[in-house]
Amino acid sequence: LHSRVFSSFQGKNRPKSSGLLLRDGKKRIDYILVYKKSSLQVEKRCTFEKNLRAEGMVLEKEPSLTNNDIMFVKIHAPWDTLCKYAEQMNIRMPFRLIRRISSNLISSLLYFSWLPRNPMKLDKAALPDLQDTDCYTAPFTRARMHHFTINSRQSFFSNSTRSRIVHHVLQRTKYEDGKSKMGINRLLGNGTYEAAFPPHEGGYKSRHPIKTHGAQNHRHLLYERWARWGIWYKYQPLDLIRRYFGEKIGLYFAWLGWYTGMLIPAALVGLFVFLYGLFTMDSSQVSKEICDANTTIMCPMCEECEPWTLSDSCVYAKVTHLFDNGGTVFFAIFMAIWATVFLEFWKRRRAELTYDWDLIDWEEEEDELRPQFEAKYSRVERVNPISGKPEPFQPLTDKLSRLMVSVSGIFFMISLVLTAVFAVVVFRLIAMEKFASFDWEFVKKNWQFATSGTGVCINFVIIMSLNVVYEKVAYLLTNLEHPRTESEWENSFALKMFLFQFVNLNSSTFYIAFFLGRFAGRPGKYNKLFNRWRLEECHPSGCLIDLCLQMGVIMFFKQIWNNFMELGYPLLQNWWSRRKMKQGGGGGPNAETTATLPQWDKDWNLQPMNAHGLVDEYLEMVLQFGFTTIFVAAFPLAPLLALLNNIIEIRLDAYKFVTQWRRPMPARATDIGIWHGILEGIGVLAVITNAFVIAITSDYIPRFVYAFKYGPCVDKGYRNEKCLRGYMNSSLSVFEMGEAYNGSQGQTRFCRYRDYRAPPWSPAPYDFTLQFWHVLAARLAFIIVFEHLVYGIKSFIAYLIPDMPKGLCERMRREKYLMQELMYEAELTHLHKEKKKNGKRYHHEWP
């Protein structure tokens, strides 16, 4: 069948501190409910607690030591109740211990496994909870309880399993008569209870070092071997994370660690491409021609601007070469292949984890119905085709009508995003004129950089402001749909949040990459917005530097903001709660009493986990993945920035989960849900966008066409930068400014502009030249060839890499066979013992 790591930590070092056991000092606290004495929902609360006791739960009340209005309800699930619901929930429990090599592939992420002592690997001696002793598991049934390995009733069900069982009961216990009046979620929503959470297993710090005195509890062990900043270079103890927080959170950190490890080669290649551009910056033929063009007069770039010399843009040309060089195409292809390899190998990694964590047979049908769904559609029932049991059913017409309203809301919010982008475009056009006529000479000389910089900053403020609105709208639309299960609710909410924030985050980037400067017109015939503002042009070096600035600023500041909101904000809130406790706010204790608070009081003063679960955590990383892949041809340093951020992100999230948040309800999951499909979609979109960035935004194709068709090496073949000699002159057209500008620069009345148009003295002035059509055809051909080539490579790699390792498939089949044999042998042994027992009794009773 399959295996699960069996913990021997449950029975050892069991915490005896106040706050983990009931008053009798024996019964473990499995869940905590919090309510206010001043709450008016007394009748509902009393009915709910009465029904909990009827379900077999043991309840004990305790007043808060920090607030006289707060009361805690401590819940303990006895052995019989645990067994009853473990059977109902089809929970797999250890059946027979065996000795074998663990299939856990924590070491699969090691890039330095050949070292005699890997500094990144956790020392096994530091993790006493991770044993090489595994066991076969089977769905728990009370009828075959004698088959299971029950060394101790106290440790047979882990703390996370006990909490999950109690949460299951809380979700289905009534607080009023009627089918719709049930569930702790509704009671939390109407103010009957303030909070509901499983308790942490004691403190996360100790006066004694862990190396000499050992870990006090799982939380202390997680802090010392995972959440401390001092071990940022160590791999994560995924089995321990899963045991404490549940499989769902464990899979998130496994995916985050895998993603971070895979970013290492991408970051190194991106850094190499950037350094290649840096070292060849001074030798670039295009940069040399721009910097030496002291006599080339360029046409004014705005209504208030004056003609200028091409050599003034020398710095822009050199900076553009950092990101637009010969390695750009190679890096774009590499990142497209990297995204495929990352996702395909993650499938294999996930298969290993689901095997180790006993999730192979955990199917979606075992996912529980949402109480809100049960309450809404309790009158309409159908027979579940899998379980054969009646369950609430949502009619198709009702589902479609709600879905249409939700889709309309999504399109409305996306249109709002596009409106905000249009407003930023208008701001850039207005700011362009203002900066160009600024009194301060420095600003006037660098008006393009000032326009781009202020536009990016304003756009970032709009992005972060609209994100707050999107979250509330997505929450309302998802609840309106009434998803059937928690997984469906989370997937629907996650998809809406991704669509909102992806469009919000990338719409301005798409504008700069593909629209900025494309419709500006030409000198003498410029296009104007509302017949008032002249459309913005690209720099003679191209629009790539604006795209790099947009991506760099948004990516950098968004990561800083997210890290502050994830850790800084909870730290401030918890500090404020401790400050109020020390001051005795609300009838609370003094500083001496605070140090000896029971665990439930300490947990109550921590911040709750996000109401949306892991959606915010995944969303942040998936949006970062999009930034890392979609426009990576324009910003090769994106993987490096992502890697540095993720190294911090892992420890930041770990510190937040262990020290700043209340313990979340341990939930199960077999994969990362809808996020995998979104990642695959981003990988496909990345190929298209990078093809267009290279073909349209960068100057790679025009340079390529010039070198092979118009340059000095046409007959010799393209060999080096010398073949681009004369490229800038070839890419600049001539415009006659008229007598008004004659002599204004002391040289000529003609100016140059970036385009492929005939000069004013030709028979067809300002018409597109043959070189323009050659460049256009080459761009279209490149897009088609690039996309087909990269898609072909991606598909071939995906075909070569199976989703599940061959060895794991054979192992699963082998263990399934052995499990059937063990069940048969165990049943025979049990029957033999019963027969002997009955025979002795019969012999004893015979006269």
Side-chain angles (χ1 to χ4, degrees), residues 132-362:
D132 285 334
T133 302
D134 292 354
C135 61
Y136 294 127
T137 63
F140 182 81
T141 58
R142 287 173 289 180
R144 295 183 175 180
M145 190 181 298
H146 51 275
H147 290 174
F148 295 91
T149 307
I150 306 178
N151 296 323
S152 170
R153 289 189 174 185
Q154 296 295 326
S155 61
F156 180 66
F157 293 104
S158 66
N159 289 344
S160 59
T161 302
R162 298 172 67 99
S163 299
R164 190 153 55 92
I165 291 174
V166 175
H167 180 78
H168 175 87
V169 177
L170 291 174
Q171 289 282 65
R172 280 151 182 77
T173 301
K174 296 181 180 180
Y175 57 86
E176 283 185 11
D177 293 333
K179 291 185 178 180
S180 62
K181 307 296 183 179
M182 69 169 67
I184 186 64
N185 289 346
R186 287 179 172 269
L187 293 177
L188 291 172
N190 61 29
T192 303
Y193 289 99
E194 297 297 313
F197 53 88
H200 276 297
E201 298 180 10
Y204 64 88
K205 286 188 177 180
S206 175
R207 297 179 180 178
H208 307 290
I210 190 174
K211 291 184 178 180
T212 57
H213 291 73
Q216 292 183 337
N217 51 65
H218 282 126
R219 190 187 184 195
H220 179 213
L221 186 61
L222 278 171
Y223 176 77
E224 291 291 336
R225 302 307 180 197
W226 181 48
R228 284 194 304 112
W229 296 99
I231 57 172
W232 62 269
Y233 58 93
K234 296 285 188 180
Y235 291 105
Q236 304 179 85
L238 295 179
D239 285 333
L240 189 59
I241 298 170
R242 167 251 181 171
R243 195 180 319 284
Y244 194 81
F245 292 110
E247 288 81 1
K248 193 171 186 177
I249 294 177
L251 273 175
Y252 163 72
F253 281 104
W255 176 83
L256 180 57
W258 183 262
Y259 171 45
T260 303
M262 289 294 291
L263 277 173
I264 294 176
L268 291 176
V269 176
L271 182 62
F272 173 78
V273 172
F274 177 80
L275 292 177
Y276 171 78
L278 182 65
F279 293 142
T280 60
M281 183 171 56
D282 294 330
S283 61
S284 169
Q285 181 65 30
V286 177
S287 299
K288 284 181 180 180
E289 292 186 1
I290 293 178
C291 294
D292 295 338
N294 297 319
T295 59
T296 304
I297 304 301
M298 301 298 295
C299 298
M301 297 189 68
C302 66
E303 296 294 337
E304 305 295 331
C305 301
E306 295 290 333
W308 53 286
T309 57
L310 182 59
S311 59
D312 292 342
S313 62
C314 179
V315 175
Y316 275 90
K318 291 185 176 181
V319 173
T320 301
H321 183 74
L322 293 176
F323 306 100
D324 187 8
N325 53 65
T328 302
V329 177
F330 162 74
F331 189 54
I333 297 176
F334 171 83
M335 287 303 296
I337 297 174
W338 171 87
T340 301
V341 172
F342 159 65
L343 291 175
E344 292 301 320
F345 275 97
W346 163 248
K347 293 178 185 178
R348 296 168 62 89
R349 173 64 172 154
R350 184 198 66 84
E352 295 282 357
L353 289 174
T354 53
Y355 169 77
D356 282 332
W357 293 352
D358 237 3
L359 299 171
I360 295 295
D361 290 339
W362 192 80

Side-chain angles (χ1 to χ4, degrees), residues 517-519 521-522 695-696 701-703 705-706 709-710 727 729-733 753-759 764 766-781:
R518 309 297 168 194
F519 308 99
R522 61 171 179 82
I696 297 176
I701 298 300
R703 292 197 302 263
V705 172
Y706 177 81
K709 183 66 177 177
Y710 298 95
Y727 167 74
N729 184 63
S730 174
S731 64
L732 296 177
S733 299
Y753 62 98
R754 185 73 184 273
D755 209 341
Y756 297 101
R757 292 180 182 270
Y766 306 121
D767 282 354
F768 289 117
T769 63
L770 184 61
Q771 188 174 356
F772 169 83
W773 299 109
H774 285 163
V775 171
L776 180 60
R779 282 173 168 166
L780 295 177

Side-chain angles (χ1 to χ4, degrees), residues 348 795-802:
R348 296 168 62 89
S795 301
F796 182 68
I797 292 176
Y799 172 78
L800 287 181
I801 304 175

Side-chain angles (χ1 to χ4, degrees), residues 16 46-47 81 143 195 206 266 308 327 444 532 585 590 628 766 840:
K16 299 180 180 180
C46 292
T47 304
T81 304
S206 175
W308 53 286
K444 186 176 182 179
R532 169 66 179 85
N590 54 25
T628 305
Y766 306 121
K840 290 181 179 180

